[in-house]
């Protein structure tokens, strides 16, 4: 059937203008000369912006009609807040070129699409309930709503969008329907079905209307796939319609800013020319040698030399360093990170509570079997903060947790074999542990706390094994609890093969062999 065939895109100059009387072809468009610094340039820019908006809207409407099943025409209407009527913007209309060619002998169809005809019927503004677009708008609206309101109604916010299908003939024959010539011509042209979808973005309301022949399969038109496409396409078309106003405002502000810069530059150039080309700071340039005295003096040379000498002195360097420190002390003026939501905070609470409860029970179980050993729980408070509040931080990942703790505790226990004073031993052991973690790329703050605790003595290598086991259990619980939340990912990496990849003697080849 003719309705079921694919839409054929025919690139013809007249047909691509969609029958819009306001559209102009490239062949008839006159090129205006660009006259800088005049009002005519601004006017031509505004006209080009308007033409760009029209082309963008038409392309969206045409692409929608080409891919929607059975659709032979698409129109976009805007609700005017001041008059309360529906208005069709320029070029917001597309008719299938194949249908136009097939109906070239249909006078009613040609009067709808051929704007060159003397009897062409223009799309006048329509009140809600009047004409095809007005009837669809009234059906999609709800009683008691003021159509001039720009704010969305409660019904529009609660009730989901839908596609309203109507028979064009039934609307035309409705005795309560005011006479509308375009509606009568649509029936005579063979348009049997029409669908409307409302859109509303940032206070702008409107309607996208789809039309099909009366012989089109209505079940396919109303299929969930086709209606979902029509709803999505209406959102795209509506967003383009609503983009026009903000885009014009943005372009106007940018042009005003450029014109302001040009005016200031022009004023500076005029002032420079009137001053005879004198530049700012010209007095600091060296003068010619004095022929009478034979001395070569330069204005500003002595002061510049003194300034350099002051800056190069130790006192000058110290003052510069203090000024730099004071500048940094004020901060980098960055915004602090946002706080957690209530849901995320409760999730962190749940994870910390369950993991610490498990670790404390684990420590009690070990103490019952051997009272000499227990889990050193001090570093686990910091570990819970990392795993459930800074989940994506590198210091929270399993590689840093296990390797950082192993390196720090090993150094701390090694310091207990020295005869150093306890305070010196704690400070030196913790500092060495932090340095080694930073050098190896496994920085882990709880490991620094563990190094401080173990450096004081009273702990053995068995306590180290118990603490590492507790860290492994904490990683296991953190992986399960965090990954149950769709907004979290733990771990972000494992990274245990990092050293093998970056510190091996040879480079791996594609075939698996190593280079010499």
């Amino acid at each position: 059937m003719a309705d079921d065939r694919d839409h054929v895109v025919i690139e013809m100059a007249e047909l691509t203008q969609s029958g819009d009387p306001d559209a102009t072809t490239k062949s008839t468009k006159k090129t205006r000369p660009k006259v800088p610094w005049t009002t005519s340039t601004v006017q031509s820019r505004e006209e080009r912006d308007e033409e760009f908006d029209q082309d963008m809207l038409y392309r969206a409407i045409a692409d929608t009609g080409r891919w929607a099943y059975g659709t032979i025409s698409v129109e976009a209407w805007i609700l005017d807040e001041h008059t309360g009527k529906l208005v069709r913007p320029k070029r917001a209309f597309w008719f299938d070129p194949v249908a136009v060619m097939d109906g070239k002998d249909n006078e009613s169809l040609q009067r709808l699409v051929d704007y060159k005809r003397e009897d062409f019927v223009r799309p006048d503004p329509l009140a809600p309930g009047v004409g095809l677009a007005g009837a669809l708008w009234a059906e999609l609206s709800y009683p008691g709503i003021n159509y001039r309101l720009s704010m969305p109604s409660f019904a529009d916010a609660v009730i989901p969008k839908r596609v309203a299908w109507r028979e064009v003939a039934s609307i035309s024959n409705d005795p309560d329907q005011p006479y509308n010539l375009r509606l009568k011509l649509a029936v005579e042209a063979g348009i049997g079905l029409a669908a409307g979808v409302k859109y509303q973005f940032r206070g702008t309301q409107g309607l996208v209307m789809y039309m099909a022949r009366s012989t089109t399969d209505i079940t396919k038109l109303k299929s969930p796939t086709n209606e979902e496409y029509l709803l999505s396409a209406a959102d795209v078309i509506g967003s383009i319609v609503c983009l026009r106003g903000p885009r014009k405002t943005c372009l106007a502000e940018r042009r005003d800013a450029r014109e302001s810069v040009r005016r200031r530059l022009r004023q500076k150039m005029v002032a420079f020319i009137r001053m005879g080309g004198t530049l700012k700071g010209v007095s600091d340039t060296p003068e010619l040698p004095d022929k009478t005295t034979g001395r070569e003096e330069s204005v500003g040379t002595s002061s510049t030399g003194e300034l350099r000498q002051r800056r190069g002195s130790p006192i000058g360097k110290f003052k510069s360093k203090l000024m730099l420190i004071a500048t940094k002390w004020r901060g980098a003026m960055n915004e602090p990170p946002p706080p957690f939501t209530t849901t995320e905070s409760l999730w962190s609470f749940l994870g910390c509570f369950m993991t610490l409860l498990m670790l404390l029970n684990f420590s009690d179980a070990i103490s019952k079997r051997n009272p000499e050993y227990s889990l050193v729980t001090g570093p686990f408070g910091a570990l819970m903060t990392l795993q459930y509040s800074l989940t994506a931080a590198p210091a929270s990942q399993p590689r840093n947790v296990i390797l950082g703790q192993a390196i720090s505790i090993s150094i701390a226990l090694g310091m207990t074999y020295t005869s150093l004073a306890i305070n010196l031993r704690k400070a030196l052991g913790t500092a060495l542990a932090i340095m080694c973690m930073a050098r190896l790329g496994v920085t882990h703050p709880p490991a620094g706390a563990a190094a401080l605790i173990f450096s004081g003595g009273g702990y053995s290598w068995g306590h180290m094994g118990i603490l590492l086991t507790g860290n492994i259990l904490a990683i296991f619980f953190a992986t399960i609890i965090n990954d149950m939340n769709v907004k979290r990912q733990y771990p972000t990496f494992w990274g245990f093969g990092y050293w093998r990849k970056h510190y091996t003697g040879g480079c791996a080849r594609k075939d698996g062999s190593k280079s010499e």
Side-chain angles (χ1 to χ4, degrees):
M1 294 176 62
D3 296 311
D4 297 333
R5 64 189 175 186
D6 295 333
H7 291 290
V8 180
V9 181
I10 300 178
E11 300 296 337
M12 300 176 62
E14 294 183 0
L15 294 179
T16 53
Q17 298 304 317
S18 311
D20 198 318
D22 300 304
T24 56
T25 59
K26 294 182 179 180
S27 59
T28 59
K29 181 180 177 182
K30 297 181 180 179
T31 303
R32 296 181 176 88
K34 296 183 180 180
V35 183
W37 308 98
T38 59
T39 308
S40 59
T41 304
V42 179
Q43 182 65 23
S44 63
R45 288 175 178 174
E46 293 178 352
E47 292 178 356
R48 288 197 298 270
D49 293 340
E50 182 68 23
E51 184 178 357
F52 177 84
D53 291 336
Q54 296 174 11
D55 291 340
M56 183 167 56
L57 178 60
Y58 172 73
R59 288 195 299 269
I61 294 175
D63 290 339
T64 299
R66 291 186 182 111
W67 297 108
Y69 173 80
T71 302
I72 61 173
S73 180
V74 182
E75 295 184 6
W77 295 76
I78 304 177
L79 181 66
D80 190 344
E81 292 183 347
H82 304 288
T83 62
K85 294 184 178 181
L86 293 169
V87 180
R88 198 183 80 181
K90 296 179 181 180
R91 299 197 66 190
F93 170 71
W94 173 85
F95 210 98
D96 186 5
V98 177
V100 174
M101 293 187 64
D102 291 346
K104 59 183 178 180
D105 297 331
N106 190 324
E107 292 295 326
S108 299
L109 177 61
Q110 297 302 320
R111 292 183 65 185
L112 291 174
V113 300
D114 190 359
Y115 64 91
K116 294 182 179 180
R117 292 172 60 103
E118 295 182 358
D119 55 353
F120 172 76
V121 182
R122 295 176 177 271
D124 296 327
L126 300 174
V130 179
L132 186 55
L136 293 172
W137 175 267
E139 182 172 345
L140 289 168
S141 302
Y142 305 96
I145 297 177
N146 185 359
Y147 295 109
R148 299 189 183 188
L149 290 178
S150 61
M151 296 300 295
S153 64
F154 176 77
D156 290 331
V158 174
I159 301 177
K161 292 184 179 180
R162 63 187 180 93
V163 182
W165 291 94
R166 291 289 303 273
E167 292 185 359
V168 181
S170 64
I171 299 176
S172 177
N173 297 329
D174 187 355
D176 297 330
Q177 174 67 227
Y179 178 79
N180 184 268
L181 181 56
R182 286 187 65 88
L183 178 59
K184 300 293 183 181
L185 293 177
V187 176
E188 297 175 1
I191 300 175
L193 298 170
V197 179
K198 285 184 63 176
Y199 64 83
Q200 184 164 2
F201 294 96
R202 295 187 174 274
T204 302
Q205 302 181 63
L207 175 78
V208 178
M209 185 170 61
Y210 307 94
M211 288 172 277
R213 293 190 179 95
S214 57
T215 56
T216 308
D217 189 354
I218 188 63
T219 58
K220 293 184 178 180
L221 286 174
K222 293 185 177 182
S223 65
T225 303
N226 193 55
E227 286 197 345
E228 183 65 26
Y229 175 78
L230 298 182
L231 290 171
S232 302
D235 289 340
V236 174
I237 295 173
S239 63
I240 293 176
V241 172
C242 300
L243 179 65
R244 302 171 72 178
R247 179 178 175 274
K248 290 180 180 178
T249 304
C250 182
L251 288 176
E253 291 181 354
R254 292 177 60 182
R255 284 170 182 159
D256 291 342
R258 287 198 296 265
E259 291 297 330
S260 177
V261 173
R262 290 174 182 172
R263 285 194 297 268
R264 291 198 301 267
L265 180 60
R266 185 173 181 272
Q267 292 172 359
K268 290 183 178 181
M269 294 176 64
V270 171
F272 172 75
I273 294 173
R274 289 177 179 176
M275 293 175 64
T278 303
L279 294 175
K280 182 180 179 182
V282 70
S283 59
D284 296 334
T285 57
E287 295 182 354
L288 294 175
D290 191 350
K291 297 181 180 179
T292 58
T293 60
R295 294 178 300 174
E296 296 182 1
E297 296 181 353
S298 299
V299 179
T301 303
S302 59
S303 60
T304 304
E306 293 177 359
L307 179 61
R308 289 178 179 176
Q309 186 176 3
R310 288 198 301 268
R311 288 181 178 177
S313 63
I315 298 177
K317 291 182 179 180
F318 181 72
K319 289 182 178 180
S320 299
K321 183 65 68 174
L322 287 180
M323 293 177 62
L324 179 61
I325 294 174
T327 303
K328 290 185 176 181
W329 180 78
R330 292 198 298 265
M333 304 304 175
N334 294 332
E335 290 292 332
F340 273 20
T341 61
T342 304
T343 304
E344 292 297 314
S345 300
L346 291 175
W347 201 274
S348 298
F349 164 78
L350 178 64
C352 294
F353 174 76
M354 294 184 63
T355 306
L356 284 176
L357 184 62
M358 179 273 303
L359 291 173
L360 292 174
N361 290 330
F362 170 70
S363 178
D364 292 342
I366 295 176
S367 298
K368 288 181 181 180
R369 299 190 62 178
N370 191 343
E372 295 182 0
Y373 292 99
S374 64
L375 180 65
V376 181
T377 57
F380 285 95
L383 179 61
M384 296 301 100
T385 305
L386 289 173
Q387 289 183 329
Y388 295 103
S389 295
L390 297 172
T391 310
S396 308
Q397 305 312 308
R399 172 175 173 267
N400 293 50
V401 174
I402 297 175
L403 297 181
Q405 290 284 11
I407 294 171
S408 298
I409 299 176
S410 298
I411 294 175
L413 290 176
M415 295 299 298
T416 59
Y417 293 98
T418 64
S419 59
L420 297 175
I422 184 170
N423 289 342
L424 181 60
R425 189 170 68 231
K426 286 183 176 181
L428 182 59
T430 305
L432 286 174
I434 295 174
M435 180 194 70
C436 292
M437 286 191 295
R439 179 62 183 87
L440 297 175
V442 290
T443 300
H444 185 59
L452 181 61
I453 295 173
F454 277 75
S455 297
Y459 297 98
S460 63
W461 296 97
H463 289 89
M464 174 182 173
I466 296 173
L467 190 140
L468 291 178
T469 305
N471 278 274
I472 294 174
L473 292 174
I475 292 172
F476 176 75
F477 271 74
T479 302
I480 296 176
I481 296 174
N482 282 318
D483 290 347
M484 290 175 63
N485 190 332
V486 295
K487 296 183 179 180
R488 299 191 181 193
Q489 167 66 49
Y490 185 82
T492 57
F493 64 87
W494 290 95
F496 288 104
Y498 176 82
W499 289 330
R500 180 181 58 83
K501 179 180 179 181
H502 291 273
Y503 293 100
T504 52
C507 298
R509 299 180 183 274
K510 293 183 178 181
D511 56 359
S513 61
K514 292 185 178 180
S515 60
E516 295 292 335

